[in-house]
Structure formats: structure tokens, C-alpha cells
């Protein structure tokens, strides 16, 4: 049982701004590609507060089932409440329950589509989770993973002035980011840039007709901050800034860095610079001067369970 003050997994990323992770017209395109208008049962593993199930249910026929599973009881409670208060008028049967992705509490062969979003990057054994997703999926039906490469933004620039970068300085930061990723994996807590290798994992799992697409969404912040999407994104960034360092915990990241072969003195110098930079970023956000194209790399990998 979680302590009342203990944070839920990925809590800093599950605020209202998450609702704008996808362009609606792109979701409609995905729904057609995945034949959602003909699906009777969608299963969302690691569903969080149910966002993807709610979004995709718009394209499913009346009487369909959307089933969400997550190991955080707090998220499941929010998803259940939202199903009743916001989507109760829909002719869709929503069901959310607590469960683990490595032992999904559902019968075999029930889903026309089984999906996960930013789940595989957090698990020790993604292959086992994929096998469980396959188990609950009907023969011939879809298994879908929406997973990022989170290293890519470290080679992106927000402002033109940043293009006069110091090569050695950028390489130092990149080394730290790589060691943090490597260390997290070494500690059995997942790999944050798993999206690239999902096709390989699907192939090893015996899935067929593997298709790969990329999300067309950029999480931009461009003045003026005059839309609900921008306002929520800025609010989320301000909340991150008010934490120790942009939503990242010092001790967790130090542990990852050390487990990735790094040295504490070098990490502490990086951390001090991070703390300094957030002061500048906060002022730019308050003045509506912060600019970011918000590029990212999120894969949609879909494949069929053999008949």
C-alpha cells in the first residue's frame, strides 16, 4: 500500500497537458489504419488515467468494450470516475482495474486490439509484457505499442542562439544522459528510449505484419501563450521548475548515472548547471519569452497475432 504522500509512477507526466500529446486528426488516421470501427474490445495496458482508451473509443462502434489495466489504484480510480462523469453518455462499456503488465488479469484471446503507451520504457522485461499482451489478444488481431526515443530531444535546440553551441559541453551533457539511461536499464527499471527497438521485440515475440509509424505531434511552446494547450504546457513546465530540477530527482538520477559508470563529481557539476538554468527558464516563461519547437520521436508499432 502506498503512503499517502508517496508519488505515483510517472505522476509528473500525467497532468492535463497529457491530453494534448496527440493530434486529433492523426488519431483518426490511426483508428482507420487499425480498423477501430470494427473492433469490439480494446485493452489498454498501463492505462494510467485511461486517456488512450477514451480517445480511441470515439472511433469504436456502440456497445464496444474498453478495458484499462494499471498497477496504480489512484489512476484506476480517476479513470473510473472520468468514465462515469465525462463519458457516461457514450454507448461504450468502460472497465478499469488494477493489475500488473507482467501478469495481466484478463482471459486469453479477448481483445481486437491490445495497446500500451509509454509502458515498455519503464519495465524490466518488455518481452514478457509483450507476451502477456499477445495472450489477451485474439488471433489475427492487433498488438500496438506507442513508445518514444527520449534521447532525441537532447540534440534539439530551442533558440537560434543555441546553434552557436560548445561541442565539448554538449558532449558532456550527452554522456551524462547516456549514462543515466544505461544505469536505469542496469538497475532493471526500463530503458527510456525503447521505441526504436519495439519492431525487434515484436519480431522476437512472433508477431506478424509489423507496421511502424511516427507521431506527427510537436509539444511546442511559442508566444503568445494564448491557447488552452499552451497554457497547460507552460503550467506543467512551471510545476517541474518548482521541483528540485525540472521534475527530476537528484538522488534517483545520481543512482542511475553511477550505475551507468559515471563519477559523482561530474554529475554534481552538471546538476548545479541544471539548477541555474531553470531560474532563467522560469523568468522566460513568466515573461512569455520562452520558445520551443517541442520536437519528439514517438513510434507507433503495430503487428498482428498469428492466427
Amino acid at each position: 500500500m502506498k503512503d499517502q504522500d508517496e508519488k505515483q509512477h510517472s505522476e509528473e507526466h500525467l497532468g492535463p497537458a497529457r491530453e494534448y500529446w496527440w493530434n486529433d486528426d492523426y488519431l483518426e488516421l490511426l483508428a482507420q489504419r487499425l480498423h477501430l470501427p470494427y473492433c469490439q474490445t480494446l485493452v489498454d495496458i498501463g492505462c494510467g488515467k485511461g486517456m488512450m482508451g477514451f480517445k480511441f473509443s470515439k472511433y469504436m462502434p456502440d456497445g464496444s468494450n474498453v478495458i484499462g489495466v494499471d498497477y496504480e489504484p489512484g489512476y484506476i480510480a480517476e479513470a473510473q470516475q472520468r468514465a462515469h462523469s465525462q463519458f457516461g453518455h457514450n454507448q461504450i462499456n468502460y472497465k478499469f482495474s488494477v493489475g500488473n503488465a507482467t501478469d495481466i488479469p484478463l482471459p486469453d484471446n479477448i481483445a481486437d486490439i491490445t495497446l500500451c503507451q509509454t509502458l515498455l520504457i519503464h519495465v524490466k522485461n518488455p518481452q514478457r509484457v509483450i507476451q502477456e499482451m499477445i495472450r489477451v489478444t485474439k488471433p489475427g488481431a492487433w498488438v500496438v505499442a506507442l513508445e518514444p526515443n527520449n534521447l532525441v530531444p537532447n540534440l534539439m535546440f530551442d533558440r537560434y542562439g543555441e546553434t552557436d553551441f560548445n561541442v565539448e559541453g554538449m558532449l558532456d551533457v550527452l554522456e551524462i544522459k547516456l549514462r543515466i539511461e544505461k544505469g536505469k536499464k542496469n538497475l532493471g527499471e526500463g530503458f527510456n528510449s525503447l521505441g526504436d527497438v519495439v519492431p525487434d521485440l515484436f519480431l522476437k515475440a512472433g508477431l506478424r505484419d509489423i507496421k511502424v509509424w511516427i507521431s506527427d505531434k510537436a509539444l511546442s511552446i511559442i508566444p503568445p501563450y494564448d491557447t488552452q494547450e499552451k497554457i497547460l504546457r507552460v503550467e506543467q513546465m512551471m510545476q517541474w521548475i518548482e521541483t528540485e530540477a525540472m521534475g527530476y530527482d537528484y538522488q534517483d538520477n545520481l543512482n542511475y548515472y553511477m550505475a551507468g559508470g559515471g563519477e559523482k563529481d561530474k554529475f554534481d557539476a552538471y546538476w548545479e548547471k541544471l539548477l541555474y538554468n531553470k531560474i532563467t527558464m522560469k523568468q522566460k516563461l513568466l515573461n512569455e519569452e520562452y520558445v520551443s519547437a517541442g520536437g519528439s520521436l514517438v513510434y507507433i508499432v503495430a503487428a498482428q497475432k498469428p492466427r
Side-chain angles (χ1 to χ4, degrees):
M1 190 103 180
K2 278 188 183 290
D3 183 83
Q4 189 171 8
D5 295 325
E6 187 178 347
K7 284 178 66 176
Q8 299 178 100
H9 193 275
S10 300
E11 187 173 325
E12 65 274 17
H13 297 290
L14 288 178
R18 191 181 179 95
E19 295 293 323
Y20 295 96
W21 270 20
W22 297 89
N23 286 319
D24 289 340
D25 55 354
Y26 187 82
L27 287 179
E28 184 175 1
L29 175 62
L30 273 185
Q32 296 303 317
R33 287 172 171 172
L34 298 171
H35 311 296
L36 282 182
Y38 306 98
C39 290
Q40 289 296 321
T41 300
L42 178 150
V43 172
D44 183 5
I45 305 302
C47 68
K49 300 175 183 179
M51 183 188 80
M52 291 310 292
F54 293 132
K55 286 188 178 294
F56 275 139
S57 67
K58 175 181 177 181
Y59 308 102
M60 297 174 68
D62 289 350
S64 298
N65 304 298
V66 169
I67 302 170
V69 176
D70 198 283
Y71 78 84
E72 293 283 5
Y75 293 161
I76 291 299
E78 286 193 53
Q80 290 170 335
Q81 191 277 331
R82 193 175 176 198
H84 176 74
S85 63
Q86 286 183 250
F87 297 94
H89 63 282
N90 288 2
Q91 300 301 310
I92 301 288
N93 303 309
Y94 298 102
K95 181 181 179 183
F96 297 96
S97 58
V98 177
N100 198 300
T102 57
D103 187 19
I104 299 170
L106 295 172
D108 297 354
N109 306 322
I110 65 164
D112 298 294
I113 177 170
T114 302
L115 65 87
C116 66
Q117 175 178 243
T118 57
L119 168 68
L120 300 180
I121 60 172
H122 294 303
V123 300
K124 180 177 183 179
N125 189 347
Q127 201 76 70
R128 180 175 173 181
V129 173
I130 291 168
Q131 290 293 351
E132 271 292 277
M133 292 174 68
I134 292 171
R135 178 184 64 78
V136 304
T137 305
K138 296 175 183 176
W142 291 103
V143 176
V144 182
L146 317 170
E147 300 286 345
N149 178 323
N150 281 319
L151 277 171
V152 167
N154 294 299
L155 291 173
M156 293 179 176
F157 305 101
D158 288 331
R159 293 168 301 281
Y160 183 70
E162 293 178 1
T163 61
D164 294 322
F165 57 86
N166 176 275
V167 173
E168 289 72 25
M170 278 199 73
L171 289 174
D172 284 344
V173 172
L174 190 58
E175 180 203 340
I176 288 168
K177 297 289 188 176
L178 286 168
R179 292 195 184 281
I180 288 172
E181 288 240 7
K182 185 176 180 65
K184 184 181 177 186
K185 188 173 188 295
N186 287 345
L187 294 173
E189 296 184 30
F191 184 64
N192 280 347
S193 295
L194 190 84
D196 298 330
V197 301
V198 171
D200 179 51
L201 295 174
F202 274 16
L203 196 63
K204 286 179 168 61
L207 291 166
R208 297 178 180 173
D209 192 23
I210 298 171
K211 302 180 186 301
V212 182
W213 305 296
I214 295 175
S215 171
D216 68 346
K217 182 71 176 189
L219 305 179
S220 60
I221 299 178
I222 301 171
Y225 306 159
D226 57 355
T227 67
Q228 182 71 2
E229 178 177 354
K230 288 182 187 178
I231 291 167
L232 288 172
R233 197 165 291 142
V234 169
E235 286 178 355
Q236 182 181 57
M237 289 194 71
M238 292 295 288
Q239 289 169 5
W240 287 350
I241 287 171
E242 293 305 321
T243 61
E244 187 173 7
M246 294 298 290
Y248 298 100
D249 179 78
Y250 168 81
Q251 193 60 51
D252 284 348
N253 278 272
L254 176 61
N255 291 344
Y256 295 150
Y257 180 69
M258 299 289 283
E263 299 175 358
K264 185 175 184 298
D265 288 347
K266 189 168 186 178
F267 181 82
D268 284 344
Y270 157 78
W271 199 260
E272 284 300 316
K273 189 172 183 180
L274 193 67
L275 293 176
Y276 175 79
N277 287 343
K278 78 171 189 176
I279 298 171
T280 303
M281 181 177 288
K282 179 179 180 179
Q283 196 57 52
K284 285 183 177 296
L285 286 166
L286 289 172
N287 294 340
E288 292 199 19
E289 296 172 349
Y290 179 78
V291 183
S292 174
S296 61
L297 181 55
V298 179
Y299 293 93
I300 301 93
V301 186
Q304 289 180 302
K305 177 176 177 176
R307 294 184 184 276

